[in-house]
Amino acid sequence: MRAFVGVLRQLQRLRGISLATQNPFDETELARGYYYAQWRNDARNKEEALYFQRMRDRCVSFTAALHAAAALERDDIWHRFKGVDVHGLRAALMADGLALSLPLAPDWDAAWLDLDIEELSEGPGGIVADEYTDQVRHTSRKAHLAEHEEWILREGLDRVSSGAELWAGRADFFPNLQFLDRVKDDLENLDPRWFKGARQLLRQLEATAAQWDPASLTGPHWEAPNIRGEHENARKDRMWEDDGKEKCFHLHGNLNRGAGRIYFRLVHDEKAIRIAHIGRHL
């Protein structure tokens, strides 16, 4: 349970989550003759037990979660793991999501699980059963999350719908980007027409920074199109205070149709891209 709560905490840091579990969970057997209710009532587990309960309280019921994944809408398809019907894994696969398991057996110690699927369909001679396998994303330990981290962050970022959310989640979404404090105001007051362009360009700058080798003589490989430096005669107007000194942030990319821009500079000794302005074209 401590390992499982550790996985939940790590996922929560990567993106907001809630946890759907079957009830009554108190009767879940964690080891032979040892049940979740006993673990929860042990004073040594108080903090983890409270966190686990908060995650469960934030979610709808397990049945409602299955409905949301369309896992209860079809009665002509079955998903099995090691010969057992698996409703949670089925829901994760159908929703293109991530399944979590308690690390109770070696079978669950994997970043991907192979599901055996049986599906009924209409054939020339009537109803036929098609059998095939598919893989579902899975975790039961923190080590598994490394396999899915890029996908988790990408999925989480796609659900962000405002500049304020981008600022609040910047450390998780953009670990290789740095932001001057003034950018908070830029994002919280960003023109809604520029939001998707800003989100996409920040995603591309993060991908660029992640693979950039500062020792390379050719500079970064830009994931975004049309990244360029400002003309010499305009650079005096691209100065912002950074670490107590005026620095020039002359590199920039467009948000959409040239209407807005992100101004930034490369920080070689920290292998990072530092951003000074997100908004109107200066």
Side-chain angles (χ1 to χ4, degrees), residues 228-246:
R228 58 206 182 279
E230 199 66 270
H231 297 297
E232 285 291 338
N233 60 357
R235 293 192 180 191
K236 66 180 185 301
D237 298 320
R238 308 297 182 260
M239 306 292 290
W240 283 273
E241 185 176 332
D242 183 12
D243 292 333
K245 298 179 181 179
E246 289 288 306

Side-chain angles (χ1 to χ4, degrees), residues 194 228 230 234 238 252-255 257-263 277-282:
W194 299 346
R228 58 206 182 279
E230 199 66 270
R238 308 297 182 260
H252 61 272
N254 292 340
L255 298 186
R257 299 181 180 273
R261 286 187 175 178
I262 294 181
Y263 289 93
H277 173 85
I278 301 177
R280 64 184 178 85
H281 178 188
L282 300 177

Side-chain angles (χ1 to χ4, degrees), residues 62-79 87-96:
F62 188 78
T63 300
L66 297 186
H67 273 296
L72 289 183
E73 301 301 321
R74 295 182 56 185
D75 57 5
D76 58 350
I77 186 168
W78 296 266
H79 295 69
H87 303 294
L89 295 178
R90 173 188 180 182
L93 181 65
M94 295 182 74
D96 191 27

Side-chain angles (χ1 to χ4, degrees), residues 33 49 85 145 197 200:
D85 288 327
L145 292 178
Q200 176 65 7

Side-chain angles (χ1 to χ4, degrees), residues 118-261:
E118 182 180 355
E119 184 173 7
L120 300 182
S121 60
E122 290 279 355
I127 301 295
V128 296
D130 296 321
E131 296 183 0
Y132 54 96
T133 62
D134 203 347
Q135 286 193 315
V136 61
R137 294 183 186 88
H138 176 263
T139 179
S140 64
R141 297 191 296 113
K142 286 183 181 180
H144 301 148
L145 292 178
E147 175 82 12
H148 307 299
E149 185 167 338
E150 182 179 348
W151 172 83
I152 293 167
L153 291 173
R154 183 175 67 249
E155 289 289 296
L157 184 55
D158 286 342
R159 287 173 169 78
V160 170
S161 58
S162 72
E165 288 182 89
L166 283 178
W167 176 260
R170 67 194 184 283
D172 294 330
F173 297 132
F174 314 116
N176 294 288
L177 302 185
Q178 300 172 356
F179 299 81
L180 297 189
D181 290 343
R182 67 168 311 281
V183 178
K184 179 177 186 290
D185 206 47
D186 286 346
L187 284 173
E188 290 181 347
N189 294 285
L190 188 66
D191 188 323
R193 295 173 299 174
W194 299 346
F195 170 73
K196 288 187 177 180
R199 184 178 63 183
Q200 176 65 7
L201 183 51
L202 287 171
R203 188 203 305 271
Q204 292 167 325
L205 291 176
E206 167 61 28
T208 296
Q211 54 81 38
W212 172 43
D213 178 6
S216 171
L217 298 178
T218 60
H221 170 73
W222 299 110
E223 296 291 333
N226 206 24
I227 297 294
R228 58 206 182 279
E230 199 66 270
H231 297 297
E232 285 291 338
N233 60 357
R235 293 192 180 191
K236 66 180 185 301
D237 298 320
R238 308 297 182 260
M239 306 292 290
W240 283 273
E241 185 176 332
D242 183 12
D243 292 333
K245 298 179 181 179
E246 289 288 306
K247 301 285 181 69
C248 183
F249 291 75
H250 71 94
L251 291 169
H252 61 272
N254 292 340
L255 298 186
N256 59 351
R257 299 181 180 273
R261 286 187 175 178

